């Protein structure tokens, strides 16, 4: 069991609290290797394992601990049914593309089973149906269209009106024989297999720059330099990506709440609805007291952009939704809370392949749109094929980061960039003066005008002391906002997150928010 305390701004998920994560050493000297993989989540570990198993000298670098990012904070659904994805893809990219997308996700499921078996990992696999449902009869047509599109894409999808949920639904897509997993146990097994295959993992090693020469040069925050023939950036939002890639990625956060319920209340499946600001439901095995069979009910939803106010209220709504529909939720044990951050692409497809048109040896995996478990496994297979030079799967071009956006996506892209532009002008925003910091209660934070009208991020800690840091994100200068429930500064543009002392919690930023004088 991992007894590492959760850092400020990042409540510890149930998965990380119940998995063994032996610490890995920080890189303490310059290094020369064949392949370097940056990022210790599912995409990074799957890619590193595929390469090491093929005999390539591979090193994985992680800025924090492996699984500390999105993968460790997921709900653990490994399924090819991705909400209402197939109908959209069939309409915007074409039925053939939807079929390739489906094949890639199904391949990822089977690869997960094979990797777990090869690694001898007890990943908590459970085969169950996945559902996308609505309760509003007016939206039943959307569900039927999704079922038809998913079936046309090659999936065994079915239109149904009954589920295992304890409340009626108007319609649902059902995809049998999917996987729900313990993501930390699964990736812990992959990490062990990677080490056994000759790989190396270095935690607490943040890459701050990448230079493409005859060999790739990667610089780290604490000094050591890594040279490699090939580099894979699997860091969620790529910190070194071209602007043409950044503008096509939109960050969003979702909240998760989990608590034990009687085993009889288990709805026997994985569920997702686009209603009620998104609701996701699954259960997981849970240690039960003598004479009581329990399951851990996991509910997620309330998606929002990083930096938007009201996180505490969102958690309250999520808990109320869970208690209303599952009356025993939280009555028989502790309630766990955490949050995940995902990246949506403009066209609904991830970016996996060469980072930009001018590179031959730097690759990226990002933009999984909330489906990073299957997407990360797909990326591992695809990126390994790129690096090894072997046959590439039929969906290679579909996920190529160098693809052009569909014409119909361009207005949305422009609108999103206009919204982002407003966050760059912090020195001209209507911010309260520095005196407003005096009114902050313990645990509150605000952005105010500091000396020279520079935006300052001010937080009052539990002791009553004020801490002030620069309010401009060190990635590209957007003005951050305070997340009251998670006690973190968040960038609304690209999703960087910082502790109240300015320490980087989540990229793409690679350097802390520097201290600032308030007056």
């Amino acid at each position: 069991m991992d007894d590492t305390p959760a850092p400020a701004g990042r409540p510890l998920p149930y998965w990380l609290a119940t998995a063994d994560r032996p610490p890995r050493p920080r890189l303490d000297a310059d290094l020369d290797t064949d392949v370097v993989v940056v990022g210790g989540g599912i995409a990074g570990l799957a890619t590193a394992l595929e390469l090491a198993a093929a005999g390539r000298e591979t090193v994985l670098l992680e800025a924090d601990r492996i699984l500390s990012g999105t993968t460790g904070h997921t709900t653990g659904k490994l399924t090819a049914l991705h909400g209402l994805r197939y109908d959209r893809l069939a309409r915007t990219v074409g039925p053939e593309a939807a079929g390739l997308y489906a094949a890639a996700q199904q391949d990822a499921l089977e690869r997960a089973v094979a990797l777990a078996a090869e690694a001898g990992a007890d990943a908590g696999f459970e085969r169950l149906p996945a559902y996308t449902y609505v309760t509003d009869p007016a939206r039943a047509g959307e569900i039927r269209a999704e079922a038809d599109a998913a079936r046309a894409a090659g999936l065994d999808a079915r239109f149904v009106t009954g589920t295992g949920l304890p409340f009626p639904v108007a319609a649902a897509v059902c995809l049998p024989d999917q996987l729900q997993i313990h993501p930390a146990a699964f990736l812990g097994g992959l990490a062990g297999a990677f080490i056994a295959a000759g790989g190396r993992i270095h935690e607490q090693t943040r890459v701050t720059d990448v230079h493409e020469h005859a060999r790739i040069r990667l610089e780290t925050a604490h000094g050591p330099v890594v040279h490699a023939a090939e580099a894979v950036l699997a860091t969620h939002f790529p910190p070194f990506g071209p602007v043409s890639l950044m503008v096509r990625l939109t960050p969003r956060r979702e909240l998760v709440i989990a608590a034990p319920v009687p085993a009889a209340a288990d709805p026997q499946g994985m569920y997702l609805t686009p209603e009620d600001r998104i609701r996701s439901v699954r259960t997981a095995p849970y240690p039960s007291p003598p004479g009581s069979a329990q399951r851990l009910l996991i509910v997620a939803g309330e998606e929002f952009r990083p930096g938007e106010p009201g996180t505490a209220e969102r958690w309250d709504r999520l808990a109320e939704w869970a208690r209303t529909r599952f009356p025993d939720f939280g009555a028989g044990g502790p309630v766990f809370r955490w949050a995940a951050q995902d990246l949506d692409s403009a066209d609904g497809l991830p970016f996996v392949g060469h980072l930009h048109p001018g590179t031959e040896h730097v690759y990226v995996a990002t933009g999984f749109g909330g489906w990073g478990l299957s997407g990360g496994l797909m990326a591992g297979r695809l990126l390994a094929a790129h690096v090894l030079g072997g046959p590439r799967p039929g969906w290679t071009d579909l996920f190529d980061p160098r693809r052009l956006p569909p014409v119909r996506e361009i207005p949305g892209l422009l609108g999103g960039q206009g919204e982002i532009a407003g966050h760059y002008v912090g020195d001209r925003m209507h911010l309260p003066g520095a005196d407003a910091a005096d009114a902050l209660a313990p645990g509150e934070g605000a952005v105010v005008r500091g000396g020279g009208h520079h935006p300052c991020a001010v937080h009052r800690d539990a002791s009553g002391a004020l801490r002030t840091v620069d309010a401009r994100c060190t990635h590209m200068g957007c003005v951050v906002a305070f997340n009251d429930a998670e006690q973190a500064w968040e960038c609304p543009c690209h999703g960087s997150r910082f502790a109240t002392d300015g320490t980087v919690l989540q990229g793409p930023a690679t350097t802390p928010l520097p201290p600032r004088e308030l007056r």
Side-chain angles (χ1 to χ4, degrees), residues 353-387:
H354 290 90
L355 179 61
H356 57 80
T359 185
E360 294 182 10
H361 302 290
V362 179
Y363 306 91
V364 69
T366 187
F368 298 116
W371 302 103
L373 288 180
S374 60
L377 289 162
M378 173 275 292
R381 297 266 268 183
L382 178 51
L383 294 176
H386 275 295
V387 173

Side-chain angles (χ1 to χ4, degrees), residues 158 323 346 418:
R158 304 157 189 184
R323 285 192 297 265

